[in-house]
Amino acid sequence: MKYNQIKHTDLNVSNIIMGNMRLPQLTVAEIEQLIHTALDEGINFFDHADIYGQGRSEELFAEAIQMNSSIREKMIIQSKCGIKGQENYFDFSKGHILDSVDGILKRLQTDYLDLLLLHRPDPLMEPEEVAEAFEVLHSSGKVKYFGVSNHSPAQIELLQKYTPHKLVVNQVQFSIAHTPIIDSGIALNMNTDQAINRDSSVLEYCRLHDIQLQAWSPFQNGFFEGTFLGDLEKFAELNKVIDEIATHYDVTNTAIATAWITRHPANIQVVLGTTSPQRLKDACAGAEITLTRKEWYDIYKAAGNMVP
């Protein structure tokens, strides 16, 4: 496992993250096996959100590992808030953030979060109010560090203007089959659809401002449209190239899909949503591989992207 220091923190994190959105699909025994597989593979970072299973994912996580201070010290735990799941709207009000964190801590059976992320941008955000919530959470010891998810550079700038707490993480969607954060940079100044800047150059912004990027849905095509791995109808050429490279390295296609993300010099963490211990192991194997530039570009082009 490779590790990376999140800048402006004391957190030395694995470049693979175990995501916990799908835990309610498993039994407690299966969850315990999955978590211990992650720990055995060197994963020390665990990602949650209060809307995952309407909080049930956090409860199951704590129950499965019989959360205690000893095992808590081995983990870096991150959770997210700001989405009112059942009502389907966003809420960055001070009261909601504070109540959300109290609920998260109770469900996870822990006294603190290493990281709290604001889940999706709230157009009604009042940044002064968010800053007040952050200060209460930090001064009380409930949250060490703060970040965001799915936020643009301008949205981060607006929030950062009002809080002295450095925003250290931005979690964005990124996979071989979902690459807006790099597409327009490659096709800059060209009259093509790929050249349209859909992300406000968030990748470059985060690198310039020491914000750790995390990639969610690393094996998904589009917005939960299914995995591209093994999809020979939509992604025949991509799977052909991935499989050839996987054979060369004697690993699985999951490993290569992971290695493609971790090859990027931004040290992007990969958030795995898998419920399979074997796929988790396969992804961890991929994180150890450094693809060549040619291999990286061959995969990018096989996904249907243009390189001028």
Side-chain angles (χ1 to χ4, degrees):
M1 181 61 61
K2 295 180 181 178
Y3 298 88
N4 173 52
Q5 188 87 14
I6 296 181
K7 294 178 181 178
H8 307 285
T9 79
D10 63 355
L11 303 178
N12 192 37
V13 300
S14 53
N15 64 351
I16 301 294
I17 297 173
M18 178 178 159
N20 293 281
M21 184 174 70
R22 296 183 175 87
L23 293 192
Q25 300 174 10
L26 305 176
T27 66
V28 172
E30 289 170 333
I31 295 169
E32 180 183 15
Q33 180 188 10
L34 191 64
I35 295 169
H36 283 289
T37 299
L39 291 169
D40 290 345
E41 290 295 316
I43 294 174
N44 67 356
F45 201 113
F46 298 84
D47 176 70
H48 294 269
D50 59 357
I51 64 163
Y52 293 167
Q54 301 302 320
R56 185 61 179 149
S57 290
E58 292 167 332
E59 291 175 340
L60 288 167
F61 183 88
E63 180 183 352
I65 60 172
Q66 300 178 13
M67 182 68 82
N68 57 68
S69 58
S70 176
I71 197 166
R72 177 66 181 91
E73 291 173 0
K74 300 176 183 177
M75 296 178 166
I76 295 169
I77 296 181
Q78 166 180 286
S79 195
K80 303 181 287 293
C81 72
I83 300 178
K84 301 278 282 190
Q86 292 180 321
E87 297 91 346
N88 192 31
Y89 68 90
F90 307 139
D91 188 348
F92 282 8
S93 65
K94 178 180 177 180
H96 179 70
I97 292 172
L98 295 179
D99 288 345
S100 295
V101 172
D102 284 343
I104 290 167
L105 296 178
K106 181 179 180 180
R107 290 188 294 271
L108 286 172
Q109 299 179 35
T110 184
D111 296 328
Y112 70 96
L113 291 174
D114 294 286
L115 282 153
L116 174 71
L117 308 187
L118 299 178
H119 207 157
R120 280 192 176 273
D122 176 11
L124 302 181
M125 176 186 74
E126 297 180 46
E128 301 96 331
E129 208 178 331
V130 175
E132 290 175 7
F134 283 3
E135 183 55 38
V136 170
L137 293 170
H138 186 266
S139 62
S140 64
K142 292 180 180 179
V143 178
K144 286 186 174 183
Y145 304 106
F146 300 92
V148 294
S149 181
N150 308 296
H151 278 56
S152 72
Q155 290 164 338
I156 295 171
E157 289 273 7
L158 176 60
L159 181 54
Q160 190 69 80
K161 176 182 176 180
Y162 292 91
T163 177
H165 298 287
K166 169 71 175 170
L167 300 173
V168 297
V169 165
N170 190 12
Q171 190 177 108
V172 299
Q173 185 177 4
F174 185 50
S175 76
I176 295 169
H178 185 90
T179 53
I181 67 171
I182 60 174
D183 291 339
S184 62
I186 289 178
L188 181 69
N189 202 36
M190 300 188 71
N191 190 22
T192 66
D193 183 67
Q194 186 177 319
I196 297 172
N197 190 333
R198 294 180 169 86
D199 69 299
S200 303
S201 302
V202 69
L203 171 62
E204 291 79 10
Y205 175 87
C206 289
R207 295 184 74 184
L208 282 167
H209 292 270
D210 295 335
I211 298 172
Q212 176 69 52
L213 283 163
Q214 299 173 349
W216 60 270
S217 286
F219 311 128
Q220 287 284 325
N221 161 38
F223 193 66
F224 299 113
E225 295 174 23
T227 180
F228 56 85
L229 293 173
D231 185 348
L232 301 183
E233 182 177 346
K234 292 182 180 179
F235 297 100
E237 181 62 20
L238 176 58
N239 277 276
K240 175 177 178 290
V241 172
I242 289 175
D243 289 347
E244 288 173 352
I245 295 173
T247 298
H248 171 72
Y249 286 100
D250 193 24
V251 294
T252 65
N253 59 359
T254 296
I256 298 303
T258 303
W260 188 83
I261 296 174
T262 59
R263 173 63 177 83
H264 196 282
N267 293 318
I268 301 169
Q269 291 178 282
V270 179
V271 185
L272 300 178
T274 183
T275 56
S276 162
Q278 186 56 55
R279 175 160 282 191
L280 188 149
K281 290 180 180 180
D282 292 343
C284 289
E288 295 291 332
I289 294 170
T290 301
L291 297 176
T292 67
R293 271 185 161 79
K294 183 178 185 305
E295 289 166 341
W296 191 90
Y297 277 104
D298 283 348
I299 291 170
Y300 180 72
K301 290 185 289 185
N305 301 298
M306 178 269 297
V307 174

